[in-house]
Amino acid sequence: MELPKLSVVDYVVLALLLLSSAVIGVFFGFFKSKKTSAKEFLLASGTMGVIPTALSLTVSFLSAITLLGTPSEMYMYGTMYLYRGVSWALGCVISAIVFMPRFRQLGLTSIYEYLEKRFDKKVRLTASITFMTYQLIYMAIVLYAPALALSQTTGLNIWVSVVSIGVICTFYSSVGGLKAVIWTDVLQSVVMLGGLLPAIIQGLILVGGFKRVFTIADKGGRIEFDNVSFDPRTRHTIWGVVIGSTFNALADYVAKCTHLNSTSLAVVSTTTNVLPIKRDPLLGLYSHRYENR
């Protein structure tokens, strides 16, 4: 079976998205930024608004791994994974009430500054190196996963995808600072939403609605919300998903709100992330239904 190929329109849309990200970096790096301090570059001088910050926080949890992996996880192992939504809500509330006020009161750029003040420079360096190692591995997977998917479905060369995305992201981040990163996240949130919603709507139309999707998923053993097992070999339990994912959410929520100009705005921006409903798990249920038509 011959693989479908990207059309000229597809390449134009992809190029426009990458070009727009680069333009945002240039705009904030050469025209909008005063380049006067590390605070402006790393914290956007504490001038970012609630809406772009909230969107940036949301996109931070929506990498290619999420968009490709979550539907697959739901398709293969059922709905216990939806409890991650509970963990995100808990992460928002705990960050806003417990950590955010203290973090901003200390005026820290990162958690590593706190580690140095609380302990010593060795602890800061150890934590920094550990985090950088983790991020290098994580970013490699994030870049490779969509590149592999595009290669298998469209024939697009893997290295063209990896290099182009990697170069553009490095460029706008290093040139434009945090402001460029946040506004690029806003752009990407619009693109993601514009891709997920049509896919879900079209899937529901083809299948026959929400009721039909959940009926077939239930017959296939995919609907499960009551696994409270303490067996560590169990893939997903309420305890594992809720507790583990809550700790995972805390770091990103707190660190991303240091660029707002008040603690109250930081709290509002953080708690706003409770509102968005993750739509990509529904793709997994739809996939299960579609295969069993």
Side-chain angles (χ1 to χ4, degrees), residues 6-216:
L6 291 179
S7 67
V8 175
V9 176
D10 294 322
Y11 279 110
V12 169
V13 171
L14 179 60
L16 285 176
L17 177 60
L18 295 177
L19 180 61
S20 298
S21 300
V23 169
I24 291 174
V26 171
F27 177 73
F28 285 104
F30 297 102
F31 298 101
K32 200 74 173 176
S33 177
K34 299 178 181 179
K35 295 282 186 180
T36 56
S37 65
K39 181 179 180 181
E40 180 177 359
F41 186 82
L42 297 175
L43 300 179
S45 299
T47 59
M48 295 304 300
V50 171
I51 293 178
T53 300
L55 289 174
S56 180
L57 277 168
T58 302
V59 172
S60 296
F61 291 91
L62 290 174
S63 67
I65 299 175
T66 307
L67 296 179
L68 294 175
T70 301
S72 300
E73 185 72 20
M74 295 281 290
Y75 172 81
M76 293 296 297
Y77 301 104
T79 54
M80 285 297 299
Y81 194 76
L82 280 174
Y83 278 107
R84 284 206 67 184
V86 177
S87 71
W88 293 322
L90 289 174
C92 288
V93 174
I94 295 173
S95 296
I97 296 176
V98 179
F99 294 105
M100 188 67 64
R102 184 61 177 171
F103 201 80
R104 289 185 57 82
Q105 181 183 357
L106 294 173
L108 301 175
T109 303
S110 70
I111 188 62
Y112 308 108
E113 286 187 57
Y114 174 78
L115 291 175
E116 183 175 2
K117 290 182 178 181
R118 177 64 178 81
F119 300 103
D120 56 34
K121 194 170 184 178
K122 292 181 180 179
V123 174
R124 176 176 181 170
L125 289 175
T126 300
S128 299
I129 292 172
T130 302
F131 179 75
M132 286 188 292
T133 302
Y134 161 76
Q135 282 296 318
L136 284 173
I137 298 172
Y138 171 78
M139 287 188 293
I141 297 173
V142 168
L143 286 172
Y144 182 72
L148 181 62
L150 285 172
S151 174
Q152 293 297 313
T153 58
T154 67
L156 182 67
N157 185 275
I158 291 180
W159 289 108
V160 171
S161 178
V162 170
V163 173
S164 60
I165 295 175
V167 168
I168 293 296
C169 291
T170 302
F171 175 78
Y172 73 71
S173 300
S174 58
V175 171
L178 189 61
K179 286 184 179 179
V181 172
I182 289 176
W183 283 110
T184 303
D185 284 345
V186 173
L187 172 64
Q188 292 173 357
S189 68
V190 174
V191 173
M192 288 181 182
L193 186 63
L196 284 174
L197 281 180
I200 292 173
I201 292 172
Q202 179 64 14
L204 290 172
I205 292 174
L206 292 175
V207 170
F210 280 103
K211 184 177 180 180
R212 187 64 175 160
V213 168
F214 281 92
T215 297
I216 300 300

